[in-house]
Amino acid sequence: MLGRIGLRTDRDEVRAVLVQPKRLALLVWLTLRRPGGFVRRDELLGTFWPDSTEARARASLRQALQFLRRRLGTGIVVRRGDAELGVDPDILNCDALAFLDTVARGDGEAAMECYGGDLMPGFLLEGAHEFDRWLHAERQRLRTLAVEAALLAANEAEDEGDHARAAERVAWAFRLEPNDEAVARRLIGLLERSGNRVAAVATYEALADRLRTELDLDPSPQTVELFAAIRDAADAAPDVRATPARGVSPQRVLVLRLENLTGDDRFDVLGGLAADTLARGLSLIPDLEVVPPLAVGPVPPDAMLPHDSATTSEPGGVPSSLAALARATGAGTLLDGSVHREGGALWFQVRVTDVAGGRLLPGPDPVRADESAPLEGIELLRERVVTAVAPALTQRVVHVREAARPPGVDAYRAYLDGLDQFVRGEWHAALHHFRKATNLSPDYALPRIVSAITLWNLCDLPQARAIALEADALRSSLGRFERAVLDMVLAWLDGDWAAAYRAAVVQAEMAPGSIPHFQVAEESRRLNHPREAREVLRRLNPEAGELRGWIFYWVELASAHHLLRDHARELEVASRCRRLHPHDPLAALLEARAFAGLGRTGDVVRVIDQILASPAGRKPPMGELIVEAGLELKAHGAADAGAALLERAVEWYRAEGGAHASSRRLLGRALYFADRLDEAHEILDGLARTSGSSVQPIGEHHAQLRAHLDYGFLAVIASRRDDAPELKRWCGRLEALDGPFLYGAQWFWLAAVAALRDDRERAIRLLRRAFADGLPMEMFVHTDPHLARLRGDERFDAIMRPRG
């Protein structure tokens, strides 16, 4: 019942009950009204059949009970005498009851795991007002209990001195009660103590926006005072943002890929698999923090030389290249090694180096493995490394955890193949490999996590959430880094960009120079902190490690410059990106956008002509690129040139002639922006009638955040036509929308309607609500022609002004 509505036997989903709302509600009432007890028949009659005669109500109850027994088993509903009914708790398991049990035990962590979301979300029962009133109250009661459980878990973490974990628990509670200032203040304080001042500021700003738009209130004096103190501290130390300074700590361990010295490239995969397995095993040792292997690029050539080699220059004979790698990640302890072949067998060898002290630590003996069964050797190596390293670094003796068992070689190879496709932006191909890895090794969580990210990029948000929750069920097997990646994905799906930022910072601290480090910049920009995004990206090397070939590095850097109106540097970045990716439409769009910002209309048209004349690249479609360039021109004052490009976009879509709904939606969008309202209405109205109210993706790579709703386009068309009945109809549809993955899109479109009708007060209030409900600061917000009417209004300019 928590977070979703489901009913299953050991074998199948019981859809026959799920599609009968009153009978499902009756089962819920019997289960939760008095857990483990009984409900009087008279109460059931008055609750579910209040408008029926007693005879008809009793007949309806009998029929409902017979139906439930027939579908769920005769023992499911039990009686106490003739007047009372209940359910047998030995037959019916219920997540809500399990949650209440963990709350009663005072187990905050377990309660958080049990609480999957609001009780029966979205469920309404017509003609049963008492049930609806009870469900609403029960939903709020359970949510309050979940918040209290999370705060209890935070207390325990804080008592242990783990402010980061405490902040994670309070952030979880804040997502449930985003207007609770007491919870917000505690979260802000924990974030500040953890070194995440930017996340603390973002949390305050999100709270203030929600309070003003939803309740027409300002934050309390206590909250304002706390925010002012943190803001002043952040202003005094502006460089301490995305990656707090790291001191070198012996308890921070860097694990490098083992070098393949066998001379046979079939065994290349084993070095990475061994490193990942060692990192996962070490991450489960209390008091250790493990830098994941992806935190560094290829190991320098001298890294595997013996410690007494003449090329070393560090105290104790540590190779300088290794010492530099360790210091770059704040690691005081380093693990590296090799795989070699001898006597027809594979040998895995690892050395443990105290970088700060310039000495070798006691390490495991070499491990032998049969070439046909290398996993046995890797697992034995992991056991020996964990049992050797734990006492040396933490004075602990630990038992090796089963959760650290390595995946199969084929599963790991499929995962690496998927990552290779992922970095190149080939989402469908990457997903194929990740699914293969998951099928080969069901307990391997990493492919599931990256599958969820891939599905996010493909705009398949329901499936992304399903896969992310599958990965969350394997959380106990994850290290801190993998948990942070998973938390970021879950935050994306919730539209909680402050939480996504916090999770990205954790990853960046552990894996500097990687794609996760890049992610800090993207999350900063979504929170309207383009300066921070720019500085993060400047500190990264786009030609090293994972970032090599990652076009979205350039997309994000150019976007940051664009939002800061530094169009000259934006053009430098865009031009470099286009040299590196000459056939990618995204690179062309970056250059066109920069030229538009500089007022170089002719160059924008030239770029469009060039890309249209080149071979068709990968997505997004050329037509979408032309639309975006046309809107950029209009946003920067070149209305006629922008209108001409938008007409060309319509021509391009007409020539393509795609019959699929997504192609027609793109054509409808182009027609609308080209001011061909009747043609746009015909297409979008037809799509709205067939596809319903869901957010429809436009393009690719986080395209669901463009706030595209067919209802929204139809509302602004009605407004521009001055068609009052149609306007009322579509605005009503927008206001009634409620569900996942909207990210404030409905309020964004209602703000557009209000702006068209010169109701600035309402437009700004709705726009604030859109951001409070999850609308990120994406580029389309700046180019939207409806919002242009609000420019110059101090309140609107304050919303759009970069905050950091």
Side-chain angles (χ1 to χ4, degrees):
M1 301 183 196
L2 298 178
R4 60 186 296 270
I5 303 172
L7 183 64
R8 297 187 60 86
T9 67
D10 292 337
R11 299 177 302 279
D12 303 301
E13 185 177 51
V14 190
R15 292 195 56 78
V17 177
L18 293 175
V19 299
Q20 297 268 345
K22 185 164 289 189
R23 290 168 178 178
L24 174 63
L26 174 62
L27 180 64
V28 169
W29 186 274
L30 291 172
T31 304
L32 284 187
R33 178 68 170 167
R34 293 183 181 86
F38 292 85
V39 179
R40 292 187 59 81
R41 286 178 182 267
D42 291 345
E43 179 181 311
L44 297 174
L45 300 179
T47 299
F48 293 100
W49 297 276
D51 299 326
S52 297
T53 64
E54 182 176 352
R56 292 192 62 180
R58 289 187 180 278
S60 297
L61 176 58
R62 282 195 302 272
Q63 292 170 6
L65 295 174
Q66 289 169 2
F67 175 84
L68 292 175
R69 287 168 173 143
R70 186 166 61 250
R71 297 296 181 179
L72 302 176
T74 56
I76 190 72
V77 179
V78 295
R79 297 187 305 174
R80 186 166 67 180
D82 293 330
E84 294 179 305
L85 297 169
V87 295
D88 187 339
D90 294 330
I91 294 178
L92 183 69
N93 293 315
C94 171
D95 58 350
L97 292 179
F99 165 72
L100 290 170
D101 181 59
T102 60
V103 169
R105 297 200 313 267
D107 190 339
E109 293 285 352
M112 290 175 65
E113 290 182 13
C114 286
Y115 189 78
D118 276 347
L119 178 67
M120 298 188 74
F123 187 85
L124 290 173
L125 187 61
E126 293 184 6
H129 302 301
E130 176 63 21
F131 176 84
D132 284 340
R133 185 199 61 75
W134 169 83
L135 180 61
H136 177 78
E138 191 71 0
R139 189 179 286 153
Q140 182 59 52
R141 182 176 79 92
L142 296 189
R143 187 188 304 137
T144 300
L145 290 174
V147 169
E148 293 173 354
L151 297 179
L152 177 63
N155 290 341
E156 295 170 354
E158 203 166 5
D159 289 344
E160 296 170 4
D162 192 340
H163 295 300
R165 182 159 62 92
E168 290 174 1
R169 302 310 183 255
V170 178
W172 188 90
F174 189 50
R175 285 198 292 273
L176 296 181
E177 293 290 0
N179 293 333
D180 190 320
E181 287 197 62
V183 176
R185 285 195 297 272
R186 185 166 179 198
L187 175 58
I188 291 167
L190 283 167
L191 290 170
E192 197 276 336
R193 289 197 293 278
S194 301
N196 281 348
R197 289 197 183 102
V198 171
V201 172
T203 300
Y204 171 83
E205 290 173 342
L207 171 70
D209 283 343
R210 277 193 298 271
L211 291 176
R212 292 183 184 119
T213 57
E214 296 180 13
L215 303 176
D216 198 24
L217 294 174
D218 289 322
S220 68
Q222 302 98 306
T223 307
V224 172
E225 182 180 350
L226 175 63
F227 167 66
I230 292 174
R231 181 186 55 196
D232 292 344
D235 290 342
D239 293 332
V240 184
R241 291 193 174 199
T243 50
R246 295 183 305 273
V248 174
S249 167
Q251 282 72 44
R252 187 177 175 89
V253 183
L254 172 62
V255 182
L256 295 181
R257 179 186 299 268
L258 276 60
E259 187 177 14
N260 178 15
L261 300 180
T262 66
D264 187 337
D265 58 12
R266 290 181 303 151
F267 300 117
D268 284 348
V269 70
L270 296 182
L273 177 56
D276 276 0
T277 303
L278 294 179
R280 292 172 68 209
L282 291 169
S283 69
L284 298 171
I285 299 176
D287 307 326
L288 283 191
E289 184 178 39
V290 180
V291 181
L294 60 75
V296 295
V299 179
D302 65 336
M304 291 303 300
L305 293 175
H307 278 286
D308 58 357
S309 167
T311 65
T312 59
S313 59
E314 297 285 325
V318 180
S320 57
S321 56
L322 288 184
L325 280 174
R327 291 192 185 104
T329 61
T333 303
L334 184 141
L335 267 68
D336 69 313
S338 63
V339 184
H340 65 276
R341 186 191 288 171
E342 184 178 325
L346 295 173
W347 289 85
F348 296 89
Q349 185 167 4
V350 171
R351 63 184 175 186
V352 184
T353 303
D354 172 6
V355 177
R359 62 192 179 95
L360 286 176
L361 296 176
D365 293 332
V367 171
R368 180 187 183 280
D370 191 281
E371 290 186 14
S372 63
L375 284 186
E376 295 179 7
I378 291 175
E379 189 166 0
L380 179 58
L381 180 71
R382 181 256 305 170
E383 293 177 2
R384 291 185 177 178
V385 166
V386 169
T387 54
V389 167
L393 299 183
T394 68
Q395 289 76 53
R396 291 175 180 262
V397 177
V398 300
H399 297 288
V400 178
R401 297 272 299 272
E402 287 294 316
R405 181 170 294 169
V409 174
D410 290 339
Y412 185 72
R413 183 179 286 112
Y415 171 63
L416 293 182
D417 290 342
L419 284 181
D420 181 59
Q421 298 288 342
F422 180 89
V423 170
R424 287 187 280 166
E426 300 293 341
W427 312 125
H428 289 287
L431 195 59
H432 167 76
H433 292 296
F434 295 142
R435 285 171 174 163
K436 180 180 178 182
T438 298
N439 290 335
L440 289 169
S441 186
D443 293 335
Y444 191 16
L446 276 177
R448 296 181 192 270
I449 296 174
V450 191
S451 288
I453 297 174
T454 308
L455 288 161
W456 162 269
N457 289 340
L458 288 169
C459 308
D460 188 347
L461 305 193
Q463 186 65 13
R465 183 187 289 279
I467 297 295
L469 292 176
E470 288 178 4
D472 200 36
L474 300 170
R475 181 177 287 267
S476 62
S477 69
L478 300 175
R480 181 171 177 243
F481 177 82
E482 290 80 9
R483 288 198 302 271
V485 177
L486 178 57
D487 288 341
M488 180 182 70
V489 177
L490 292 170
W492 288 349
L493 292 163
D494 288 339
D496 188 343
W497 309 115
Y501 173 89
R502 294 192 296 270
V505 168
V506 173
Q507 298 168 58
E509 291 171 344
M510 302 185 69
S514 64
I515 287 176
H517 194 166
F518 152 86
Q519 197 64 44
V520 174
E522 187 166 60
E523 303 307 333
S524 298
R525 191 259 307 146
R526 284 184 181 143
L527 289 168
N528 203 14
H529 291 116
R531 291 187 186 86
E532 181 189 0
R534 181 186 62 188
E535 295 310 308
V536 169
L537 293 167
R538 283 176 172 175
R539 292 198 293 269
L540 299 178
N541 181 359
E543 298 303 317
E546 286 191 312
L547 292 175
R548 183 186 296 275
W550 183 246
I551 190 174
F552 299 110
Y553 171 89
W554 305 103
V555 171
E556 204 57 56
L557 182 56
S559 298
H561 284 304
H562 192 83
L563 295 177
L564 293 169
R565 299 182 181 180
D566 188 350
H567 299 304
R569 290 185 180 175
E570 177 190 7
L571 181 58
E572 293 176 6
V573 171
S575 298
R576 183 175 179 185
C577 178
R578 195 153 180 222
R579 289 194 296 272
L580 292 170
H581 306 275
H583 302 300
D584 195 309
L586 281 175
L589 176 60
L590 296 186
E591 202 168 45
R593 183 185 288 155
F595 281 134
L598 291 167
R600 293 168 57 175
T601 303
D603 286 318
V604 176
V605 176
R606 175 179 56 80
V607 169
I608 297 302
D609 289 340
Q610 288 174 351
I611 198 67
L612 286 175
S614 66
R618 67 176 184 84
K619 292 182 177 181
M622 301 293 186
E624 185 186 351
L625 180 142
I626 304 171
V627 169
E628 298 302 326
L631 291 175
E632 283 288 349
L633 283 174
K634 294 184 78 170
H636 290 281
D640 291 342
L645 274 187
L646 291 166
E647 283 291 343
R648 290 182 66 181
V650 171
E651 294 171 7
W652 187 90
Y653 282 117
R654 293 285 197 205
E656 285 292 297
H660 192 273
S662 60
S663 299
R664 291 184 57 72
R665 181 166 285 110
L666 287 167
L667 172 58
R669 177 173 179 260
L671 285 164
Y672 172 78
F673 287 125
D675 294 328
R676 293 163 68 167
L677 301 187
D678 291 343
E679 296 167 88
H681 179 271
E682 181 181 357
I683 290 174
L684 295 169
D685 184 68
L687 290 169
R689 294 177 189 277
T690 58
S691 64
S693 61
S694 60
V695 178
Q696 302 298 330
I698 289 292
E700 67 162 355
H701 196 65
H702 306 162
Q704 66 276 10
L705 302 183
R706 291 179 186 268
H708 183 102
L709 282 174
D710 296 331
Y711 290 1
F713 273 103
L714 290 165
V716 292
I717 289 172
S719 180
R720 292 177 64 181
R721 285 172 155 182
D722 202 23
D723 187 337
E726 280 287 286
L727 179 61
K728 181 179 180 181
R729 174 189 176 197
W730 294 116
C731 287
R733 294 278 186 93
L734 287 168
E735 290 172 351
L737 289 180
D738 183 22
F741 316 130
L742 284 168
Y743 303 109
Q746 70 275 50
W747 311 121
F748 173 84
W749 279 109
L750 288 167
V753 169
L756 283 173
R757 301 177 71 78
D758 291 324
D759 187 348
R760 292 192 171 202
E761 185 78 30
R762 176 174 167 78
I764 290 167
R765 185 170 68 251
L766 287 165
L767 193 60
R768 283 174 174 162
R769 184 167 184 181
F771 282 113
D773 276 11
L775 184 72
M777 188 58 76
E778 296 290 339
M779 300 302 293
F780 78 89
V781 179
H782 292 263
T783 58
D784 187 272
H786 312 102
L787 302 186
R789 294 167 175 255
L790 302 176
R791 289 176 187 157
D793 188 296
E794 182 179 344
R795 297 163 299 175
F796 175 76
D797 292 342
I799 293 172
M800 303 300 290
R801 188 179 301 122
R803 297 174 178 176

